[in-house]
Amino acid sequence: MQCPVLSTTEARDEAMFRSIRLTAPAAVVAGLLFSTTALADDPIAEKAKLCATCHGEQGVPTQKNIPVIWGQNEGYLIFQLRDFKSGARKNDLMSPIAAGIDPNDINAFAAYFSKLKWPNLQQAPAPADVAAKAQATAASVGCPGCHLAYFQGDGTTARLAGQNHDYLLKTMNDFRDKTRGNNPGMSDLMNATSPEDIGALAQYLAALQIDQYLNQGN
Amino acid sequence: MVSWKVRGALTGALVLGFAGATSPAWCADAGAPAAPVSQEQLNAAAGDANNFLHTNGNYDQTRYFPGKQINTSNVGKLHPAWIFQTEVKESLETTPIVVSGVMYVTTSFDHVYAINAKTGEEYWHYKHAMGPITTYCCGPNNRGVAVYDDKVYLATLDAKLIALDAKTGAIAWQTDIADPSLGYSETMAPTAVNGKILIGTNGGEYGIRGFVRAYDAKTGKLIWNFDTSPENSVGVWAKTDATGRDMHRDIEAEKAQLAKAGDPYKTVGGGVWQNPSIDLKTNRIYFVVGNPSPDLDGAIRPGDNLYTESLVSVDLDTGKYVCHFQFIPHDVWDLDAVSPTVLVDAKDKDGNVVPAVIHGNKIGQVFVNSRKDCSLIRFSEPMVSQEGTWTLPTAEGARMLPGANGGVEWSPMAVNPELGLTYAVNLHQPMTYQVQSSPYPGGKLWLGGAFKVIATEESFGNVTAVDYNTGKIAWQVKTPLPMMGGALTTAGGLMFTGEGTGWFRAYDAKDGKVLWSFFAGAGVNAPPASYSVDGKQYIVVGAGGNTQIDFKRGNNIIAFTVD
C-alpha cells in the first residue's frame, strides 16, 4: 500500500527525513514497506526499491554517514541484516527496518544488493602523507589479512574501498568505543589504533577505486 | 624453446580467462590423461622420483624428493621450462601434486587446475561455487589437493570437502564439513590414506571447537571425528612451557573463572591447519593443534586449554586418542603449533635411534618427540630471537618476540635424512600484544585483543638448518623479509625455498650456500615440489605472494629444469 506513495523522489526524501528525525515512524514505515501486500513479480527487487530511500537510487547513499550497500559482499550483508534483526547491531534507522524484514528474505536481499555495481562516490584522494599513514596503520594491525589487498573484502568481511567517508570514520570509531558491538575482533583492532590513524584510514579508503581488481577468482 | 613454452601456457590462460566470463564453474578442455593412484603408490611415495603424490611429499612428510638429476653441480643451469598463469591473482600457498605427468594446483578461492606437467598446458579448471558465508583467517588460501584412485580431493573456504573426477574436474561428491557461519573454514590440503580422506579445520580466531575427521574416499560419509578440545580441557595447570620457561599464569584466577563459568572446551578453538603425518607401521597419525580462542585473552578460558598448542596422535582407523604433548599451555600470544609434523628416526636422550616426530613451532624452535608416547626428547636452539618471552599482554600493549606470526608459521619444514637436518623458514617480526576481553561472539572474529607489528623496528627472516639429533643449528641464512612458504630438499643435495621479495633460491643442503636464484616477480610463498616426466626432473613452485603477511601478489606456477 505504501509503495505508490513512495514512488517519487520527493516522497522518498520526505520518508527519509521523517525516518531520520523519528525512530518510531521509521518502524511504522519499515513495517509497511516490507509487507507482502506491496509485492510485484520480482518480490526482492520490488522490496529493495524501498532501501533506496537511504541507500540511494543508484547506490549512492543519500547521507554521508549511510553506507554503500550496492556491490557489498553478500555474506557481510547477511550477517549485518541478521545482527540488526537480532539486536546484536543497533542503529536508530536500520534496527526498526530490519525488524520488519521477513527472515526468509535476508539472504535474498543480500544476494540482490551484492550483485549491483558499487558506485563511485567521487571522494577526493587522501594526500600523500595521509595515505602513507593509512597504509602503515593498515599494515600494523593487519587490515589486508581479512579485507584483502585492495580492501575489497570477501564473504562475511566488508568491502571498505570506496565506502562513504563519514560512514567509515563513524564505524571505525563505533567499533573503537564499542558503540557498535557485533564484531569484538574489530573493536579490539580499532582499540589498538589511534583516532588520528583511524582518520587517515577513512580518508584513504574512501577514495580507493578498485573495479579493475574485482572478480579475480572469487 | 623456453619462450615458446611460456607463450603457449599464457595463451591457454588467456583463452580460459575469456571463456570464464560466461562459462560454468567447471570448465573441461580435452580432459586429463589421469592415471589412477593406488594406495601402494601413496605408501611408496618417499622413493618415487617421478611423482609428487602428497602435499608434503610422503606420509612421513619429509618433503625429501629422491630424484637427483638436478643437483649441486648443475643447479646453476636451472631455468624455467614453462609458466602457467592461473585466473586468480591472490595469495598462493599450493603445493603442486604430480601424478604420471599430470599436475594439480589450487589457488585462492578454491580453484583447481589440472596441467600437463611437461608443457604447462591446461587440461581442466574447476572453480568452486563458493557459498556466501565464509569466515576465514589469514587469506583466501588453499594449500592443495589430495589424490587417490580416480579422484582429486579439495577442501574449501566455505567448509566443504569435494571429490573431483581426476580426468575431467567434474564433481563426484561433496559434503559439508562444518558450519562456516560459526567460523569454520578450510585452507589445508586433505590427506588420502587407506580409503579415507583426513581433514582438519581452521577457526582458532573465531571460537570454534577444532577437530580432525576422516571421510570415506568413495562416498564422502564421515567415518570418525576427533575433537581437538576434550570435554575436560583443563589439564594439569602447567606453569611452564615445554622448554621450562615460566609463563606467568595466574592459576588462582583461572581456577576461580573455571568455578564460575565452567570448562571452555566448546569454544576454545584448536584448529588443525596442516596435514597429519602417518605412521603406516603403527597405524597412527600425528598432527599439531593450533591456538586457543580467543587468542590473547586467557582470562575467560581457564586451564591448559587442551589440546591446543599440542602434538596429538590418534589411531588412523578409529580416531581414538593415543597420546599428546602440549608445547605451550594456556597460550596468550597466538604462538601455536601450525607447521606440519615430520616423522624421522632420531637419537633419543641415550643416543638410541628411535621413531620420532618433529615439529617447527611458532615459538621458533624445533621440537623432537617420541612417536611411542608423544614425550619430549629434545628441543632445538632458538632459530629466532625470543626477546621478552613470555611477557604477558597488557591493555596498553606489551612488546615481545616472536610476533604473532611466530618464528615458524604454517610453512612446512623439509628433512634430509642423509644429513640429519631439518630446514625451517623463520620470521623476525617484533609485535605488541594488547589484551581486551569480550564474550564469545558467535562465529565472529574473536582475538581477545590485538597484535601490532612495530613498524619502527626491523622485520626479517631466516632460513635455518637444524640437526634434529642434537638440536643444534647447523647453518642459518638471513633474508630481507620474514619467511613464509616452506621448503623442499632433494637427493641432489639441494634445499629450495622462496621469499616474499620474489626470489626463489636453491641452497646447498649441507652448508646453506646459495647455489641458484630466480626472480619470480611476486612473492614465492608456496612450498616447492619436484617430479620427473620422460626422464627429466623438474622443480615447481607457485609465485603468488601472500595475504597474511601482505607480500606482492601474482598468479604464476613456474616449473624449472636443466637441459
Side-chain angles (χ1 to χ4, degrees):
Chain A
M1 293 294 288
Q2 295 298 308
C3 283
V5 177
L6 295 176
S7 61
T8 66
T9 302
E10 291 85 354
R12 277 195 294 273
D13 288 346
E14 174 59 23
M16 179 191 72
F17 289 127
R18 275 191 284 116
S19 299
I20 290 170
R21 284 194 300 267
L22 298 168
T23 298
V28 173
V29 169
L32 293 171
L33 297 186
F34 290 104
S35 69
T36 53
T37 56
L39 302 187
D41 288 343
D42 182 352
I44 290 301
E46 192 63 26
K47 292 178 184 180
K49 285 181 181 176
L50 305 167
C51 303
T53 305
C54 294
H55 292 285
E57 280 191 66
Q58 297 302 315
V60 179
T62 55
Q63 300 286 311
K64 288 187 178 300
N65 62 355
I66 292 173
V68 171
I69 59 171
W70 283 35
Q72 184 55 275
N73 296 315
E74 185 177 350
Y76 175 77
L77 292 173
I78 291 172
F79 268 24
Q80 299 316 304
L81 287 172
R82 185 193 72 179
D83 288 356
F84 277 126
K85 197 166 181 63
S86 72
R89 182 177 175 186
K90 296 178 173 62
N91 178 278
D92 288 346
L93 280 171
M94 266 309 292
S95 294
I97 290 171
I101 296 178
D102 184 332
N104 296 318
D105 284 347
I106 285 179
N107 287 8
F109 272 118
Y112 173 79
F113 282 109
S114 71
K115 290 177 176 61
L116 300 176
K117 183 173 169 53
W118 187 281
N120 184 343
L121 303 187
Q122 308 289 340
Q123 296 176 114
D129 59 331
V130 174
K133 183 191 286 287
Q135 289 165 346
T137 300
S140 179
V141 293
C143 303
C146 294
H147 292 283
L148 304 185
Y150 307 106
F151 298 94
Q152 74 270 40
D154 182 54
T156 57
T157 302
R159 170 174 167 165
L160 307 179
Q163 184 55 276
N164 225 342
H165 170 270
D166 289 8
Y167 172 77
L168 280 171
L169 186 64
K170 180 180 185 328
T171 299
M172 286 188 280
N173 282 314
D174 283 354
F175 276 130
R176 192 170 196 274
D177 65 16
K178 300 190 179 178
T179 303
R180 179 167 169 180
N182 71 329
N183 193 321
M186 272 303 301
S187 289
D188 294 340
L189 294 168
M190 292 299 94
N191 188 266
T193 306
S194 72
E196 183 185 3
D197 288 344
I198 285 175
L201 272 175
Q203 202 172 344
Y204 172 71
L205 293 169
L208 292 180
Q209 296 302 315
I210 61 167
D211 283 356
Q212 62 183 310
Y213 304 118
L214 296 179
N215 303 316
Q216 299 211 7
N218 58 337
Chain B
M1 186 177 73
V2 171
S3 61
W4 178 86
K5 287 180 177 174
V6 170
R7 217 167 32 242
L10 285 173
T11 302
L14 289 171
V15 169
L16 180 68
F18 175 74
T22 54
S23 62
W26 159 74
C27 312
D29 296 329
V37 180
S38 69
Q39 185 57 48
E40 290 69 29
Q41 278 180 284
L42 293 175
N43 292 352
D48 186 344
N50 290 318
N51 301 308
F52 204 87
L53 298 176
H54 302 273
T55 285
N56 293 310
N58 47 65
Y59 284 134
D60 289 348
Q61 304 205 117
T62 58
R63 302 190 66 79
Y64 175 82
F65 185 72
K68 52 186 174 185
Q69 189 181 82
I70 299 170
N71 53 56
T72 52
S73 64
N74 65 6
V75 69
K77 298 176 182 174
L78 204 58
H79 62 80
W82 52 260
I83 299 173
F84 178 80
Q85 294 198 300
T86 74
E87 189 180 291
V88 184
K89 194 174 181 180
E90 183 50 277
S91 195
L92 198 53
E93 296 185 357
T94 190
T95 290
I97 298 295
V98 182
V99 184
S100 302
V102 179
M103 178 183 294
Y104 303 97
V105 296
T106 63
T107 72
S108 279
F109 305 112
D110 303 325
H111 294 226
V112 184
Y113 290 90
I115 302 169
N116 184 325
K118 185 176 180 179
T119 66
E121 292 164 297
E122 178 184 311
Y123 289 127
W124 54 256
H125 171 204
Y126 169 81
K127 177 179 179 178
H128 178 56
M130 195 75 71
I133 303 295
T134 53
T135 48
Y136 54 81
C137 169
C138 316
N141 296 299
N142 187 281
R143 300 196 187 89
V145 300
V147 289
Y148 173 62
D149 197 10
D150 58 353
K151 293 185 179 64
V152 173
Y153 298 90
L154 169 77
T156 65
L157 291 173
D158 54 354
K160 296 182 188 304
L161 183 62
I162 298 174
L164 302 175
D165 183 306
K167 289 185 176 175
T168 66
I171 295 175
W173 56 256
Q174 70 174 25
T175 190
D176 293 334
I177 297 173
D179 183 352
S181 73
L182 295 177
Y184 293 90
S185 66
E186 297 290 346
T187 55
M188 67 182 283
T191 296
V193 56
N194 294 351
K196 301 178 186 67
I197 304 300
L198 307 181
I199 194 77
T201 182
N202 303 344
E205 278 63 45
Y206 296 89
I208 62 154
R209 185 184 188 188
F211 55 74
V212 172
R213 290 180 179 166
Y215 290 85
D216 186 299
K218 290 193 182 303
T219 66
K221 289 184 178 174
L222 182 67
I223 297 173
W224 56 254
N225 172 76
F226 175 82
D227 291 315
T228 58
S229 58
E231 292 187 15
N232 182 348
S233 68
V234 169
V236 298
W237 303 103
K239 293 181 177 176
T240 62
D241 71 3
T243 69
R245 284 171 290 194
D246 190 342
M247 303 189 70
H248 311 299
R249 288 174 66 177
D250 187 343
I251 300 289
E252 292 311 309
E254 287 185 46
K255 286 182 176 176
Q257 175 66 16
L258 181 67
K260 178 182 164 188
D263 195 301
Y265 72 94
K266 287 183 180 175
T267 58
V268 83
V272 175
W273 291 79
Q274 289 279 42
N275 305 67
S277 49
I278 295 167
D279 190 332
L280 294 167
K281 289 181 183 174
T282 60
N283 217 39
R284 294 176 178 179
I285 70 172
Y286 297 83
F287 55 89
V288 285
V289 182
N291 60 282
S293 303
D295 300 49
L296 300 181
D297 180 17
I300 59 173
R301 48 172 169 81
D304 296 348
N305 307 141
L306 296 175
Y307 300 110
T308 66
E309 320 262 340
S310 299
L311 165 72
V312 177
S313 178
V314 304
D315 181 88
L316 172 59
D317 289 338
T318 65
K320 188 178 176 185
Y321 170 88
V322 174
C323 61
H324 82 278
F325 179 86
Q326 193 169 34
F327 302 107
I328 306 174
H330 194 77
D331 169 63
V332 290
W333 302 270
D334 192 22
L335 290 178
D336 51 335
V338 197
S339 179
T341 57
V342 189
L343 304 185
V344 300
D345 291 328
K347 290 179 182 174
D348 66 10
K349 291 168 182 171
D350 299 322
N352 302 312
V353 175
V354 299
V357 51
I358 67 174
H359 158 66
N361 192 269
K362 279 174 79 174
I363 189 59
Q365 288 168 284
V366 175
F367 289 87
V368 183
N369 289 66
S370 166
R371 263 185 264 172
K372 184 178 177 183
D373 59 5
C374 296
S375 61
L376 181 66
I377 296 174
R378 70 177 57 84
F379 50 85
S380 76
E381 297 177 289
M383 296 178 283
V384 296
S385 170
Q386 297 176 329
E387 188 180 328
T389 308
W390 297 104
T391 302
L392 289 172
T394 64
E396 297 75 27
R399 178 186 181 276
M400 197 193 84
L401 279 163
N405 288 323
V408 180
E409 242 287 355
W410 60 269
S411 313
M413 299 193 300
V415 163
N416 189 316
E418 295 171 9
L419 300 172
L421 297 179
T422 185
Y423 307 96
V425 297
N426 312 132
L427 307 86
H428 174 102
Q429 270 190 309
M431 289 192 186
T432 55
Y433 292 84
Q434 189 169 342
V435 66
Q436 297 286 328
S437 198
S438 57
Y440 171 68
K444 299 282 182 61
L445 185 65
W446 196 30
L447 300 176
F451 13 76
K452 291 180 69 175
V453 175
I454 303 173
T456 52
E457 296 194 39
E458 183 189 19
S459 289
F460 57 87
N462 297 319
V463 181
T464 307
V466 171
D467 183 332
Y468 50 81
N469 286 309
T470 66
K472 302 289 185 188
I473 291 174
W475 55 260
Q476 187 169 62
V477 176
K478 186 176 176 180
T479 59
L481 291 179
M483 292 290 285
M484 195 174 283
L488 172 79
T489 186
T490 75
L494 299 167
M495 195 282 286
F496 293 88
T497 193
E499 302 176 22
T501 53
W503 285 101
F504 181 47
R505 302 190 198 279
Y507 295 81
D508 188 315
K510 280 184 185 172
D511 58 18
K513 183 180 178 185
V514 175
L515 300 177
W516 170 86
S517 298
F518 177 86
F519 188 70
V524 183
N525 303 114
S530 187
Y531 62 97
S532 300
V533 181
D534 294 340
K536 181 181 282 190
Q537 185 186 350
Y538 298 81
I539 304 291
V540 62
V541 73
N546 188 270
T547 300
Q548 181 176 351
I549 203 160
D550 206 16
F551 289 149
K552 186 182 177 187
R553 310 301 202 277
N555 58 340
N556 293 328
I557 305 293
I558 310 174
F560 302 89
T561 193
V562 292
D563 286 322

